[in-house]
Amino acid sequence: MLKSDEMPAVGRDRIRLLEAVGRHGSITGGAKEVGLSYKAAWDALDAMANLFGKPLLASRTGGRAGGGTTLTPAGIRVVEAYHRLEAGLEQLFSSIEPSLAEAGIQPFHLVSGLLMKTSARNALRGTITNISSGTITSDVTVAVSDVATIHALVTNESVRELGLVPGREAIVLIKAPFVIVAPGETPPVVSAHNCVKGTVLRCETSTLNAEVVLDIGSDKTLVAVITAQSAEALKLEPGMTAHALFDAAHVLIATD
């Protein structure tokens, strides 16, 4: 996928939409071909135009050929560039897959890890195990280790946009200052939806803050940034059992 820090990704589905609009000469026809509503198609096309900073579509009015919508030169170049990128990635994956397979690593995990930039200290890859949907939002459960699951509260539109389904891999993003640490074997009774049990690996304290790193299983860690005063009061030491607490609304989900 192509993406920026501020805008949604441009993936195969949106390129297919752009191509379909070009073939049909209308957004309505393109949306129908790829199975989107007119509004969803407009939103996707607007997002791409915002991402690239140039109009990808042009309206044609009247004339012998009638009205309609065509791809601008920039739109044509985006489609062409995406297909060249896909072809190049396929060649790249074919060349590096044998060596990575020996270590049990998926080639795309390497590429997405290199391309993804985020300010969130915690970026954990896992597998979606359940999605419970309400009227506006959904609770998405992601297993990030053999013993740890994380809940994310996202809009139903985001679930559809990202193609989230049980069994699909996803990356959960949590900013370290959103994570609260509670030492002890017994989970505390709190309103935070996420309560992840772990073992303190280290607690590094500065003048004002402390960074607490918890082992949450399967070679995964979760980082919390708390005040130095709190770290001292909690007497956090390596080997202690502790729970990481954070709200599901503070969890973001990303997909490859």
Side-chain angles (χ1 to χ4, degrees):
M1 287 186 173
L2 306 174
K3 59 186 175 182
S4 74
D5 291 339
E6 294 82 18
M7 294 298 169
V10 176
R12 182 180 293 111
D13 290 343
R14 286 187 172 178
I15 294 297
R16 285 182 57 236
L17 170 62
L18 195 58
E19 291 175 311
V21 171
R23 282 193 297 272
H24 289 273
S26 74
I27 295 174
T28 301
K32 184 176 181 180
E33 179 180 323
V34 300
L36 290 177
S37 67
Y38 184 79
K39 181 184 181 303
W42 254 121
D43 290 343
L45 293 166
D46 282 346
M48 283 194 288
N50 288 338
L51 175 64
F52 290 107
K54 291 182 178 295
L56 306 182
L57 297 174
S59 297
R60 185 181 63 233
T61 58
R64 183 173 299 176
T69 302
T70 60
L71 269 60
T72 64
I76 294 172
R77 296 293 181 270
V78 166
V79 171
E80 293 175 344
Y82 188 85
H83 286 306
R84 287 200 300 271
L85 176 62
E86 275 198 319
L89 286 176
E90 287 181 5
Q91 292 180 342
L92 173 63
F93 290 167
S94 296
S95 65
I96 66 176
E97 186 172 13
S99 60
L100 290 177
E102 293 178 3
I105 299 174
Q106 294 292 328
F108 203 85
H109 292 179
L110 173 64
V111 177
S112 63
L114 291 173
L115 294 180
M116 186 175 69
K117 286 185 176 181
T118 174
S119 62
R121 182 72 167 81
N122 298 292
L124 302 166
R125 183 180 292 275
T127 302
I128 298 172
T129 58
N130 186 63
I131 298 178
S132 299
S133 298
T135 305
I136 299 174
T137 59
S138 294
D139 182 303
V140 182
T141 306
V142 182
V144 297
S145 78
D146 293 338
V147 294
T149 58
I150 291 176
H151 295 268
L153 187 65
V154 300
T155 64
N156 294 336
E157 183 178 353
S158 293
V159 171
R160 292 189 294 270
E161 176 72 26
L162 295 173
L164 303 182
V165 292
R168 178 170 183 176
E169 286 194 344
I171 300 168
V172 294
L173 307 169
I174 314 117
K175 298 191 66 143
F178 289 158
V179 182
I180 298 172
V181 177
E185 290 284 346
T186 304
V189 179
V190 292
S191 60
H193 197 7
N194 288 290
C195 183
V196 180
K197 186 176 182 179
T199 302
V200 177
L201 288 178
R202 57 184 180 275
C203 179
E204 300 176 356
T205 305
S206 63
T207 304
L208 297 177
N209 298 318
E211 183 179 90
V212 184
V213 182
L214 299 180
D215 178 354
I216 59 171
S218 302
D219 295 320
K220 302 285 183 68
T221 59
L222 191 61
V223 180
V225 172
I226 61 176
T227 65
Q229 185 178 5
S230 295
E232 183 179 356
L234 294 173
K235 295 180 170 51
L236 297 173
E237 296 180 356
M240 289 180 58
T241 299
H243 291 80
L245 313 171
F246 48 97
D247 197 85
H250 288 160
V251 180
L252 300 180
I253 290 185
T255 56
D256 293 325

